[in-house]
Amino acid sequence: MNTTANPWISSPPSPDRDSRFLHELLVMGELMQSCGAEVFRVEDTLNRMGQAYGVGRMNVFVITSSIIITMEFPDGREVTQTRRIREAGGNDFTKLEKLNALSREYCRTPFDETTLRRRLEEIRRDQLPKKTRYLGSVLAASSFTLFFGGGLQDGGAAAVFALLICLMQDYVAVICMNVMIFNVVVSFFIGTGISIASHMIPCLHMDMIMIGDIMLLIPGIAITNAVRDVLIGDTISGIMRFIEAMLWAGCLAFGFMSAIWMVGKLW
Amino acid sequence: MIQLLMALLGSAGFAVMFHLPRRLLGAASLGGLFCWFIYLVCQPVMKGYFLPSFVASAWGAFYAEILARVLKVPSTPFFVVAMIPLIPGSTLYYAMDQMVHGYLSLASAYGVQTIQCALGIGGGMSIAWSVCDLSRKIQKLKKDRPGRS
């Protein structure tokens, strides 16, 4: 965009510059992971950007919880930085696409770190509006209720509970210790709600509504991504993600089961 | 028919939730529809749950790769959205349900079904992905060859 001059010419490589550039690479990698990029994609992108910067050999090691990069320069210097990633990523494909475009642009004509930092910051700030996310969840939950064979009234009920799930994701998730606890809480709460509603209103099918809303919570994408990570060679990340996802699924099952059981006993 | 329509709408819902750029929404949700269509076609022919999921997800991944090359964007959004109708949400629920009611053998049968589906989806995706990788490398080799002395 506004790359005035090639930084190679304007400022010669210096250790200070290298470490600033590497820092931005870590930010980039973290952002990519947090918006749903796969491990091999992150490694590939960071490699390419490093090559474009003029590194002799890039050593990029990415797993879901950490990024380690060592840049080896042709003159023998080495720079290493690492970053620990705590948050499990969501999916935000607008960001991912912008990051991808940014890296393509960088590889064509590298620009200096300040510009890179500014562009990354711009991308980070671009959040999905809440309303859109709510709309998406409602649409997804009610259509999957119908997809699995529920009636229109079930779809409507699923939409209401999908809205509740979104609200809980926004306001309850922050006070929960981790995703597992949150999954137990949200699935217990939603499960109880659906059970009670379907006991009171006989024309609702409890199973269909639950399946529709489970689709929103189920870590299906995480599980399939994990299987694929393992099969294409990112074994550590794949196994980590798989175990994580299995635990989440177990927590969901536990929450819904105890809700069904409790309402069944009390009624 | 309703299922197909709902696969389309459901995928679209997830696509919106995942903040897909608006110009990619339609193509991505169509992927969900196609994937489910392939699954439905394959299911009577092939026994079990593994193979239909496998074929459908391989197809979805190819679709995603092709779209990604045409539109010059990452392929991730397309196949994530396309896979969504294949996710075995209902079998997971029935496994839980049977467990609550104490039918452990039924519960484990549904559990195994769920895992079969997940393995099928993952396997299909990675097969498609490695074929695409192969083709990319062959193209690169072809391109490099005249350059070498």
Side-chain angles (χ1 to χ4, degrees):
Chain A
M1 286 223 309
N2 44 6
T3 50
T4 42
N6 194 323
W8 262 248
I9 306 155
S10 58
S11 67
S14 69
D16 190 36
R17 250 195 94 208
D18 297 342
S19 75
R20 261 182 294 147
F21 171 71
L22 187 48
H23 180 80
E24 295 313 313
L25 274 193
L26 287 177
V27 172
M28 173 115 187
E30 191 182 10
L31 265 180
M32 282 185 77
Q33 281 226 345
S34 74
C35 56
E38 310 89 327
V39 167
F40 72 83
R41 192 181 296 284
V42 179
E43 285 188 351
D44 186 55
T45 305
L46 296 185
N47 260 321
R48 281 166 198 265
M49 288 180 71
Q51 303 291 353
Y53 177 77
V55 178
R57 179 174 166 179
M58 282 294 283
N59 302 274
V60 183
F61 178 68
V62 178
I63 53 177
T64 42
S65 57
S66 145
I67 301 178
I68 303 172
I69 307 178
T70 297
M71 306 198 295
E72 292 175 30
F73 286 91
D75 59 3
R77 276 178 305 122
E78 288 187 9
V79 190
T80 303
Q81 285 183 17
T82 70
R83 174 159 295 200
R84 172 80 165 98
I85 299 170
R86 286 251 173 233
E87 284 169 34
N91 283 297
D92 186 328
F93 293 130
T94 301
K95 268 190 199 169
L96 182 61
E97 204 227 324
K98 282 186 183 160
L99 287 169
N100 186 56
L102 178 64
S103 104
R104 273 172 195 258
E105 198 185 316
Y106 187 88
C107 291
R108 259 198 318 274
T109 46
F111 30 85
D112 60 54
E113 305 83 57
T114 339
T115 319
L116 187 59
R117 173 195 302 252
R118 192 171 45 75
R119 303 271 309 262
L120 284 173
E121 195 50 45
E122 266 166 27
I123 294 176
R124 184 208 295 279
R125 253 187 268 124
D126 174 36
Q127 286 292 351
L128 172 67
K130 259 185 199 170
K131 265 187 212 146
T132 327
R133 192 161 56 89
Y134 286 13
L135 187 77
S137 322
V138 165
L139 181 62
S142 42
S143 17
F144 275 109
T145 303
L146 299 183
F147 177 77
F148 286 113
L152 278 178
Q153 75 280 15
D154 301 327
V160 173
F161 284 104
L163 211 59
L164 262 177
I165 292 178
C166 284
L167 285 174
M168 288 185 78
Q169 276 168 343
D170 277 348
Y171 297 107
V172 182
V174 281
I175 56 168
C176 286
M177 191 171 70
N178 55 28
V179 183
M180 289 200 296
I181 305 285
F182 172 69
N183 274 348
V184 173
V185 172
V186 77
S187 57
F188 181 74
F189 188 77
I190 296 292
T192 313
I194 294 177
S195 309
I196 291 177
S198 56
H199 275 295
M200 290 203 300
I201 310 166
C203 68
L204 293 179
H205 302 94
M206 183 172 87
D207 46 352
M208 296 307 159
I209 303 172
M210 272 200 193
I211 292 171
D213 282 328
I214 282 177
M215 288 299 279
L216 291 182
L217 296 167
I218 198 181
I221 293 165
I223 291 178
T224 49
N225 272 346
V227 173
R228 200 200 34 183
D229 272 352
V230 171
L231 291 179
I232 64 175
D234 292 319
T235 321
I236 301 178
S237 302
I239 289 175
M240 280 172 66
R241 222 196 286 249
F242 187 76
I243 292 176
E244 215 174 45
M246 279 298 167
L247 284 174
W248 292 349
C251 289
L252 281 182
F254 175 74
F256 275 112
M257 261 162 56
S258 38
I260 299 171
W261 184 80
M262 189 190 78
V263 175
K265 287 282 166 198
L266 289 182
W267 211 261
Chain B
M1 204 55 220
I2 284 181
Q3 263 203 333
L4 281 177
L5 185 66
M6 286 307 140
L8 178 71
L9 283 183
S11 304
F14 270 92
V16 170
M17 217 158 79
F18 292 157
H19 200 184
L20 241 74
R22 197 161 291 164
R23 66 196 165 91
L24 308 179
L25 268 180
S29 330
L30 268 184
L33 186 145
F34 286 140
C35 254
W36 188 249
F37 180 72
I38 303 269
Y39 184 90
L40 286 182
V41 170
C42 290
Q43 211 184 16
V45 186
M46 304 172 192
K47 292 273 174 322
Y49 297 87
F50 177 78
L51 275 180
S53 317
F54 184 86
V55 175
S57 86
W59 197 89
F62 274 124
Y63 176 80
E65 283 285 337
I66 292 167
L67 270 185
R69 302 235 182 128
V70 173
L71 299 173
K72 293 238 185 302
V73 289
S75 58
T76 322
F78 297 116
F79 66 64
V80 166
V81 172
M83 295 308 145
I84 281 170
L86 301 177
I87 289 173
S90 64
T91 50
L92 182 74
Y93 171 80
Y94 289 122
M96 270 159 32
D97 191 45
Q98 299 299 339
M99 211 183 288
V100 173
H101 294 108
Y103 303 118
L104 285 184
S105 58
L106 266 176
S108 67
Y110 278 119
V112 168
Q113 243 179 59
T114 310
I115 292 170
Q116 274 184 341
C117 288
L119 277 180
I121 298 172
M125 264 159 133
S126 42
I127 291 284
W129 190 79
S130 49
V131 170
C132 290
D133 190 56
L134 196 71
S135 79
R136 207 173 302 153
K137 284 196 175 123
I138 290 174
Q139 265 180 0
K140 207 177 159 207
L141 276 182
K142 271 188 196 156
K143 217 190 279 173
D144 285 352
R145 194 160 294 157
R148 265 186 254 153
S149 54

